[in-house]
Amino acid sequence: MAKHQVEVQAWMLTETQRPVPSEDEYDSMVRSQWLESARAYDPHSSLAEELILRLRGDAAQSGGLDLTVGGLLLKPLQEAVTSAAEREVKLLLVGISPGSTVLHFRPAESEASGNPTDGVAGPVSVDTAVHRIIDLVTTAESGNSSPQWGNTEKSLGDVARVLAKFDLTADLRWMDQNGGVTSSSLSERGRNNVASWHEEVPSTGPEPVRISGRVTVLDEFAGSAKIKTGLSKRSKAYSVLFEPGDLVGLQLTLGQEVSFTVEERPRIKKDGSLSSDYFFVSWDNRPESP
């Protein structure tokens, strides 16, 4: 010890100045080293993928899963993973642990990959899908807006609403096949931010659109007129909105053939679906006054 005292002190100084790894980094290191040792005996060794969901709050103190909570929560969680993977992926509940309520899931992919839900060709690994969800949760916790809109964000919104209903915080932790560990939490702050993504907000700027057809409904109280574009029952119909007083001043009649220029204002509804409102701009084929 006396002979190597200088070297020992230098080594201790270096070690104490190293940054303390996070829980995820430490667990990733331990799992990766275990896997490296196992592969020395079997090169094909791998770890099972596992998604751990820890629920914290008064409704999750028993260490079990209330069926009221589980019935509402597990379906949107499943849908979020399936949407992010862009194909059908089943989550199997393989265990429940104490420590509030800790749910352990393992993915079981169906044999039929199905059609991509977001129109993107090619398979997406479960690992990539879960990382997308965890990244979204991290984005929500940071208070930022979602960079895009799709079924994954909608499903996460459904999860957030269930958590808010029971005042629960959800800790998500993903353990991949190669030992990596990634986690994030969806607290009240994150839930509120996800809810703001689901408000009715314009998705794009207004666009001028021309609508031609017959006037089938006039609603003076609502300030709207329905324009049916064809004679068939299946023909598309548009509900056109007018400024107060404009509808009466135009003196439209039922069955009248009209051609309007309207302003289309797309928006995202609270359930995550897309919709558009049409606001009157001009009456292009308006008959001249005698």
Side-chain angles (χ1 to χ4, degrees):
M1 289 293 294
K3 181 179 178 181
H4 297 284
Q5 186 174 9
V6 175
E7 291 89 338
V8 170
Q9 289 178 344
W11 176 82
M12 291 182 61
L13 182 62
T14 301
E15 291 298 313
T16 56
Q17 289 180 342
R18 289 181 186 274
V20 178
S22 67
E23 185 177 0
D24 286 351
E25 291 171 338
Y26 178 80
D27 287 345
S28 295
M29 180 178 63
V30 171
R31 283 166 50 82
S32 297
Q33 289 177 348
W34 185 94
L35 183 59
E36 183 180 355
S37 299
R39 285 176 174 171
Y41 296 92
D42 180 0
H44 301 292
S45 296
S46 64
L47 295 165
E49 293 179 317
E50 188 168 311
L51 176 63
I52 300 174
L53 174 65
R54 181 187 179 196
L55 302 175
R56 293 185 284 123
D58 291 342
Q61 292 298 327
S62 63
L65 180 64
D66 187 311
L67 293 182
T68 303
V69 180
L72 295 173
L73 182 61
L74 299 188
K75 184 174 184 291
L77 179 63
Q78 166 76 68
E79 291 173 346
V81 175
T82 289
S83 175
E86 300 168 1
R87 70 187 191 287
E88 186 67 26
V89 176
K90 293 182 180 180
L91 289 180
L92 301 179
L93 179 62
V94 296
I96 299 179
S97 305
S100 293
T101 296
V102 183
L103 310 177
H104 300 259
F105 298 93
R106 288 185 180 172
E109 300 187 43
S110 61
E111 293 182 2
S113 60
N115 295 322
T117 58
D118 290 336
V120 180
V124 174
S125 69
V126 178
D127 179 70
T128 299
V130 176
H131 273 97
R132 285 181 180 178
I133 296 171
I134 290 179
D135 287 345
L136 268 181
V137 171
T138 301
T139 299
E141 282 295 303
S142 68
N144 295 327
S145 299
S146 172
Q148 60 182 2
W149 181 265
N151 290 331
T152 307
E153 286 84 353
K154 179 182 181 300
S155 297
L156 181 61
D158 295 337
V159 170
R161 278 190 286 272
V162 175
L163 296 174
K165 180 177 181 179
F166 297 99
D167 193 22
L168 291 170
T169 291
D171 302 325
L172 288 92
R173 200 165 205 233
W174 173 245
M175 309 174 82
D176 66 31
Q177 290 181 331
N178 295 317
V181 179
T182 309
S183 64
S184 189
S185 297
L186 191 64
S187 65
E188 182 179 6
R189 170 187 170 88
R191 297 195 315 252
N192 292 339
N193 195 30
V194 172
S196 72
W197 299 349
H198 290 63
E199 292 177 352
E200 295 185 353
V201 294
S203 58
T204 61
E207 294 286 343
V209 176
R210 187 168 182 174
I211 296 174
S212 298
R214 290 180 301 111
V215 179
T216 58
V217 176
L218 290 170
D219 190 335
E220 180 182 350
F221 180 77
S224 66
K226 181 172 285 188
I227 311 300
K228 195 166 184 62
T229 58
L231 298 176
S232 170
K233 291 182 179 180
R234 296 183 179 180
S235 298
K236 190 168 184 177
Y238 295 87
S239 181
V240 179
L241 302 174
F242 296 79
E243 294 293 333
D246 284 359
L247 184 59
V248 175
L250 291 173
Q251 298 182 344
L252 295 170
T253 59
L254 294 175
Q256 186 174 10
E257 294 285 340
V258 297
S259 180
F260 290 158
T261 294
V262 300
E263 188 177 78
E264 181 182 7
R265 301 179 186 175
R267 58 189 172 88
I268 299 171
K269 299 195 292 186
K270 291 181 179 179
D271 64 358
S273 60
L274 295 175
S275 182
S276 291
D277 292 324
Y278 300 90
F279 289 85
F280 175 79
V281 175
S282 64
W283 184 355
D284 303 335
N285 67 334
R286 184 173 184 175
E288 297 182 2
S289 301

